[in-house]
């Protein structure tokens, strides 16, 4: 496993160098979107409409930060369970999203879409929402303000700690970990 410093938005060539299990520190621009926003995105795409924010080449963080306290750029912000976005993810990847950030494993259709598009799925550690908020330098609501904490936000982040959960070839770090565990148990 290697460690990388990356600046978002990412180029596909950068993403192709990453391997499942690599650790990364991400700086730059990313966007938040959860279930309700994804539903609206995909409905708009199905109707042939443009999205309210151009997410082609961008990274979506499956998060809805808490209200911003005085003197801070962002309230607590942690990843939500990514499988909740699996029904929408293949369409969003084929639309042009380059990367996703969340927690937990992904389904086979998502991993297939990741391979087809050269995207990457990053995992963030759940339970570290206050720490992750300190990585946010600026937050702006850019779409679906009516969704409150689940509105789409543009974040400027610095050194957001992540791991490559599924690389652009579809190799899954969660599956690798389970296989290594099974092998260790068989040797015991």
């Amino acid at each position: 496993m290697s460690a990388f410093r990356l600046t978002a938005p990412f180029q596909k060539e950068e993403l192709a160098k990453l391997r499942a299990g690599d650790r990364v520190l991400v700086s730059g621009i990313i966007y938040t979107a959860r279930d309700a926003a994804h539903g609206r995105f995909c409905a708009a795409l199905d109707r042939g409409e443009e999205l309210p924010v151009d997410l082609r080449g961008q990274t979506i963080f499956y998060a809805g930060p808490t209200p911003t306290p005085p003197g801070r750029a962002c309230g607590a912000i942690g990843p939500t369970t990514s499988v909740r976005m699996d029904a929408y993810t293949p369409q969003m990847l084929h639309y042009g999203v380059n990367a996703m950030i969340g927690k937990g494993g992904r389904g086979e259709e998502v991993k297939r879409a990741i391979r087809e598009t050269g995207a990457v799925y990053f995992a963030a550690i759940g339970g570290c929402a206050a720490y992750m908020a300190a990585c946010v330098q600026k937050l702006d609501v850019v779409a679906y303000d009516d969704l409150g904490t689940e509105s789409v936000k543009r974040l400027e982040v610095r050194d957001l700690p992540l791991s490559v959960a599924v690389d652009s070839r579809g190799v899954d770090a969660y599956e690798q970990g389970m296989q290594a565990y099974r092998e260790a148990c068989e040797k015991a």
Side-chain angles (χ1 to χ4, degrees), residues 66-76:
T66 63
T68 303
R72 302 294 305 258
C74 181

Side-chain angles (χ1 to χ4, degrees), residues 29-33 37 41 51-55 138-146 148 150-155:
I29 305 300
I30 62 176
Y31 292 84
T32 66
F41 289 154
L51 298 185
V53 59
D54 186 359
L55 295 172
K138 187 176 179 187
L139 176 153
D140 294 302
V141 175
V142 295
Y144 308 141
D145 190 38
D146 63 301
E150 290 196 32
S151 62
V152 179
K153 296 167 183 72
R154 179 184 185 274
L155 304 179

